[in-house]
Amino acid sequence: MRRQSVNLWAVLVCVVIGQLVPALWHASFSELWTQLNGFTAEQVKAAHGPAPYLARIVSTSFMAYTMAWVFTKIPVKTLLLGFLIGLLFGTVFVLFEIIVKDMFSLRPLLLSFIDGGASVIVYTITGSILGIWRTYD
């Protein structure tokens, strides 16, 4: 019997997508995000260096590899199941945690949806890709 294994090419594609989606997402909401955070445009421009982008690459790499590994154990073998599990993981493990953290920090709920929305989309796309693009030993 063949055993499902982690597809490193699929993980790599998910990492790349995990960089593009948040960039596009936050670009779409940049003015509102800046306003809800109480920042000025100058503060945002001055604060950005390479560290957040490197952290996003590392974080997305661990997330995609871990999800791929979990998918081999369940096993997830369809796009639809991968989509649903990715949506579930993104919503429960990321979005809900951001909402709770922001509530304690007295930040607007809309800001939680902007910050967490990109992650939910990334998790959902990652789950879909990993669900359909499998490898076997």
Side-chain angles (χ1 to χ4, degrees):
M1 182 165 111
R2 296 184 319 162
R3 210 178 66 169
Q4 189 173 334
S5 61
V6 171
N7 183 339
L8 295 178
W9 287 109
V11 169
L12 180 63
V13 168
C14 293
V15 171
V16 171
I17 289 170
Q19 309 317 300
L20 298 174
V21 169
L24 295 171
W25 179 265
H26 281 92
S28 301
F29 295 104
S30 62
E31 288 181 31
L32 181 58
W33 182 88
T34 301
Q35 177 188 15
L36 290 170
N37 273 298
F39 298 146
T40 65
E42 293 76 28
Q43 288 174 310
V44 172
K45 287 178 186 172
H48 284 295
Y53 302 104
L54 293 173
R56 165 67 80 183
I57 292 168
V58 171
S59 173
T60 306
S61 299
F62 279 102
M63 177 277 292
Y65 187 87
T66 303
M67 190 181 292
W69 180 81
V70 167
F71 279 19
T72 67
K73 304 304 175 202
I74 295 175
V76 174
K77 295 184 179 187
T78 66
L79 183 136
L80 179 61
L81 186 57
F83 174 90
L84 293 172
I85 293 175
L87 178 63
L88 178 71
F89 283 9
T91 302
V92 172
F93 296 134
V94 180
L95 180 61
F96 289 172
E97 289 297 317
I98 289 173
I99 290 171
V100 170
K101 177 192 65 74
D102 284 354
M103 289 175 79
F104 278 106
S105 300
L106 304 175
R107 298 174 80 192
L109 183 61
L110 183 55
L111 185 59
S112 302
F113 284 109
I114 293 172
D115 288 338
S119 293
V120 171
I121 293 169
V122 169
Y123 272 68
T124 303
I125 292 171
T126 297
S128 299
I129 290 170
L130 297 174
I132 192 104
W133 193 5
R134 300 173 312 278
T135 57
Y136 295 92
D137 291 333

